[in-house]
């Protein structure tokens, strides 16, 4: 469904994406993780057709830059930073719903579940809403359009705890009918939703791990972590998972319980810059 082929993106002299190759199939739910500056948002922007780049990007065989209307009509997108739109909220909802022939009442209903009283702000400019209100409205638009592809870039960043819970409940309701890419710094929040983890660092994919939807409680995974340099805090975290180190504390090995895979990767994602190689394989 989604294909990146040797995608390269430079901003001036800085290479932000460095030869990305990814295939994301129908029904896959991908957690896109990595530190700030790893290239996650740029990858998403290329997928949405917003940037020129070398290499190829396709959604259902279509280039998102040359087929923008057709491609974006099937995508629900929540950006990391809300756009500075001066359009009134009511007009924005109607326009977004019309792009994919969705009833605007669906967007209203989802916004209401998130705790946003849409009726009270229909005449207000989007740009004048608070950060939390903007995020709830953008989520309601993305999920209310019945899009088959959901792309979320740090979607829960401005949500209060109750709205965060409701948001992830809403995503869980779409597990059977949507392909998802969720960029997040907090893998623990999305671990129950995703079946694949893609980690980026310095514009490259450094980990691509498919996670079974149902991992047996007895499964054990052989783990090997190679550090680019020693860091006491990271070493303590690895030791806490009962991994054993080499003499120079650069190579750590051991077993991870299958059901703990995503939680372990969440810990690893905090120290991306220190990891030069990571492998997980079934025993």
């Amino acid at each position: 469904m989604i294909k990146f082929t040797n995608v390269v993106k430079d901003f001036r002299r800085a290479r932000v994406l460095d030869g990305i190759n990814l295939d994301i199939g129908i029904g896959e739910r991908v957690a896109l993780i990595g530190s700030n500056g790893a290239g996650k948002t740029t990858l998403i922007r290329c997928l949405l057709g917003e940037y020129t780049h070398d290499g190829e990007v396709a959604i259902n065989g279509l280039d998102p830059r040359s087929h923008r209307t057709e491609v974006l009509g099937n995508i629900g997108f929540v950006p990391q930073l809300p756009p500075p739109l001066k359009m009134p909220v009511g007009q924005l909802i109607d326009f977004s719903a019309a792009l994919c022939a969705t009833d605007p009442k669906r967007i209203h209903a989802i916004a209401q579940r998130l705790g946003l009283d849409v009726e009270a702000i229909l005449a207000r400019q989007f740009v004048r809403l608070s950060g939390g209100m903007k995020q709830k409205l953008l989520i309601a638009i993305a999920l209310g359009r019945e899009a088959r592809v959901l792309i979320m870039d740090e979607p829960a960043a401005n949500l209060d705890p109750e709205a965060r819970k409701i948001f992830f409940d809403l995503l869980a309701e779409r597990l059977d009918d949507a392909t998802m890419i969720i960029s997040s710094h907090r893998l623990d929040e999305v671990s129950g939703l995703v079946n694949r983890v893609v980690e980026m660092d310095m514009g490259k994919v450094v980990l691509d791990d498919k996670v079974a939807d149902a991992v047996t409680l007895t499964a054990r995974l052989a783990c090997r972590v190679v550090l680019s340099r020693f860091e006491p805090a990271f070493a303590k975290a690895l030791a806490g998972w009962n991994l054993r180190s080499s003499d120079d504390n650069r190579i750590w090995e051991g077993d991870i319980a299958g059901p703990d895979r995503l939680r372990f990767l969440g810990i690893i994602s905090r120290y991306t810059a220190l990891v030069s190689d990571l492998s997980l394989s079934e025993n």
Side-chain angles (χ1 to χ4, degrees), residues 13-265:
R13 297 183 179 179
R15 177 145 295 183
V16 183
L17 298 179
D18 191 4
I20 300 294
N21 290 286
L22 279 176
D23 287 306
I24 299 173
I26 295 174
E28 286 198 290
R29 305 180 299 276
V30 179
L32 185 62
I33 65 173
S35 58
N36 287 332
K40 304 187 302 296
T41 295
T42 301
L43 186 73
I44 287 174
R45 297 290 180 178
C46 289
L47 179 59
L48 296 171
E50 296 183 9
Y51 290 155
T52 58
H53 54 79
D54 293 329
E56 297 180 358
V57 177
I59 300 179
N60 286 332
L62 299 178
D63 179 353
R65 280 192 65 81
S66 56
H67 297 85
R68 285 186 64 78
T69 301
E70 186 174 353
V71 169
L72 296 182
N74 291 309
I75 291 178
F77 172 56
V78 179
Q80 183 177 20
L81 298 174
L85 298 175
K86 295 183 179 180
M87 186 183 298
V89 168
Q91 185 178 343
L92 176 59
I93 291 174
D94 291 342
F95 172 76
S96 300
L99 285 178
C100 57
T102 296
D103 187 345
K105 291 181 180 178
R106 285 183 53 85
I107 298 175
H108 285 239
I110 292 175
Q112 197 72 38
R113 285 183 62 180
L114 289 165
L116 180 63
D117 184 1
V118 175
E119 301 299 327
I121 60 171
L122 287 176
R124 194 183 305 182
Q125 289 183 330
F126 176 82
V127 73
R128 296 188 178 277
L129 301 180
S130 68
M133 294 170 74
K134 290 176 182 176
Q135 200 72 356
K136 290 175 182 178
L137 182 58
L138 291 173
I139 289 171
I141 290 172
L143 297 183
R145 297 172 60 205
E146 298 185 345
R148 299 301 302 275
V149 179
L150 298 176
I151 302 174
M152 312 275 175
D153 193 0
E154 298 291 348
N158 292 315
L159 298 181
D160 56 84
E162 180 62 22
R164 292 173 85 98
K165 178 183 181 302
I166 294 170
F167 166 60
F168 288 113
D169 287 344
L170 287 166
L171 284 184
E173 294 172 7
R174 300 293 306 276
L175 294 185
D176 295 330
D177 65 3
T179 298
M180 302 182 189
I181 299 177
I182 308 172
S183 172
S184 177
H185 284 95
R186 299 182 58 179
L187 185 56
D188 58 312
E189 283 192 327
V190 300
S191 62
L193 297 171
V194 302
N195 53 21
R196 183 175 175 184
V197 177
V198 172
E199 182 178 358
M200 295 184 65
D201 185 37
M202 299 183 68
K204 297 182 177 181
V205 173
V206 295
L207 174 70
D208 187 353
D209 185 37
K210 292 187 178 181
V211 183
D213 287 319
V215 181
T216 64
L217 295 177
T218 58
R220 302 295 299 181
L221 302 172
C223 174
R224 186 174 189 268
V225 182
V226 180
L227 307 185
S228 58
R229 60 183 174 84
F230 175 72
E231 168 59 48
F234 192 18
K236 183 177 180 180
L238 293 173
W241 282 85
N242 295 319
L243 298 187
R244 300 171 299 279
S245 68
S246 59
D247 292 339
D248 61 359
N249 289 318
R250 296 283 294 276
I251 300 175
W252 293 73
E253 295 178 309
D255 288 344
I256 301 295
D260 291 333
R261 179 189 297 191
L262 285 182
R263 191 161 61 90
F264 175 73
L265 290 174

